[in-house]
Amino acid sequence: MKPTVLLLFFFLLSSISFSHATTAYPSIPGTTSVEYGADTDALIPPRREVYGNGRIFDVSHRYSTNMPAFETNDGVGEFLWLPNSMKNGSISNNSEFKLPTHTGTHVDAPGHVFDHYFDAGFDVDTLDLEVLNGPALLVDVPRDKNITAEVMKSLHIPKGVRRVLFRTLNTDRRLMFQKEFDSSYVGFMKDGAQWLVDNTDIKLVGIDYLSVAAYDDLIPSHLVFLEGREIILVEALKLDDIQPGIYSVHCLPLRLPGAEGSPIRCILIK
Ligand SMILES: *[C@@H]1O[C@H](CO)[C@@H](O)[C@H](O)[C@H]1NC(C)=O
Ligand SMILES: *[C@@H]1O[C@H](CO)[C@@H](O)[C@H](O)[C@H]1NC(C)=O
Ligand SMILES: CC(=O)N[C@H]1CO[C@H](CO)[C@@H](O)[C@@H]1O
């Protein structure tokens, strides 16, 4: 990991947050999903997983202090603060945050595992937005294996399919809602990655935990995917409660020249 550090300043239009517990997304205090309309008088911001009458799914995770981070039990930790606050006399609230670029739902650029690509500038600013936006297939993979060549073969993903989001046991185990990093997550084994490169037209590979590569094949699988500089890896997607099938995916990384990773917002539209 080369955690290029991201430092951004932004306006936070904050309001009173409120928690209605739901079983679907219980993890972040004060940010539980709230639909519009239920209580129109109360000052409660809507927080949703699904928009547009069930047509638009947010497949990004909320950034939170307790979300998992790679190879630590401590989670992401405090990353957001408020240096200028109205309560302390400022004319507006202005918060700041600082995060490793491979935090939460994020994208990997070729420079992540190839130093000569990093030096040559293959950063997140160079990723092809056409690959990151377009028709995509959400598939369930067998729950009892990592993604090997044999598993890839068994999925029968048709030629011509260019964007696939792989939903795995990671979603069932709710690993992204658990603070402790779990190295037993499901991901691509090297032969699975190689099979995908050799036998499919897939250029966008999405997965539901912090790495597309299984921990045992962490670097080898990344090398196979990123060597050709055509495949884009989107990691830690939130794929709960969505039917498998064809959607339009829309993912936009931040424009960060020099960064080999970036937080990314992804949605699926039915
Ligand atoms: C406001 O200022 C006080 C005193 O400097 C400080 O203790 C407090 O943390 C500040 N609050 C915020 C929200 O910045
Ligand atoms: C996937 O591989 C990891 C090691 O990378 C292992 O701990 C885990 O048990 C495997 N998962 C399955 C479902 O075989
Ligand atoms: C309008 C307003 O004051 N919003 C927020 C500004 O920051 C404070 C913290 O200092 C929040 O509590 C307010 O909600």
Side-chain angles (χ1 to χ4, degrees), residues 68-91:
F70 214 74
E71 290 180 329
T72 169
N73 284 330
D74 300 335
V76 167
E78 291 299 331
F79 63 93
L80 177 66
W81 65 99
L82 192 62
N84 300 313
S85 78
M86 297 176 79
K87 292 210 171 49
N88 275 5
S90 294
I91 56 165

Side-chain angles (χ1 to χ4, degrees), residues 33-81:
S33 298
V34 173
E35 294 293 332
Y36 267 131
D39 190 350
T40 44
D41 288 341
L43 198 54
I44 303 171
R47 288 187 200 278
R48 287 162 286 186
E49 310 306 323
V50 181
Y51 298 75
N53 294 321
R55 229 170 43 81
I56 303 173
F57 300 90
D58 193 334
V59 291
S60 315
H61 280 280
R62 292 192 178 90
Y63 293 90
S64 82
T65 54
N66 282 329
M67 83 195 310
F70 214 74
E71 290 180 329
T72 169
N73 284 330
D74 300 335
V76 167
E78 291 299 331
F79 63 93
L80 177 66
W81 65 99

Side-chain angles (χ1 to χ4, degrees), residues 9-54:
F9 303 86
F10 67 105
F11 286 94
L12 179 68
L13 289 172
S14 144
S15 197
I16 300 165
S17 63
F18 211 76
S19 42
H20 289 303
T22 73
T23 50
Y25 300 97
S27 64
I28 304 166
T31 60
T32 316
S33 298
V34 173
E35 294 293 332
Y36 267 131
D39 190 350
T40 44
D41 288 341
L43 198 54
I44 303 171
R47 288 187 200 278
R48 287 162 286 186
E49 310 306 323
V50 181
Y51 298 75
N53 294 321

Side-chain angles (χ1 to χ4, degrees), residues 23-26 169-178 240:
T23 50
Y25 300 97
L169 185 62
N170 303 334
T171 294
D172 303 354
R173 294 180 67 203
R174 305 186 62 73
L175 293 186
M176 280 304 295
F177 294 98
Q178 146 188 328
D240 310 61

Side-chain angles (χ1 to χ4, degrees), residues 193-230:
Q194 194 65 57
W195 199 91
L196 182 149
V197 169
D198 294 343
N199 300 287
T200 75
D201 296 318
I202 300 168
K203 299 295 177 240
L204 178 64
V205 177
I207 201 147
D208 50 5
Y209 198 54
L210 291 164
S211 169
V212 294
Y215 196 66
D216 284 353
D217 267 355
L218 190 58
I219 296 305
S221 294
H222 273 93
L223 291 173
V224 168
F225 280 134
L226 294 177
E227 184 170 21
R229 302 194 311 267
E230 284 194 324

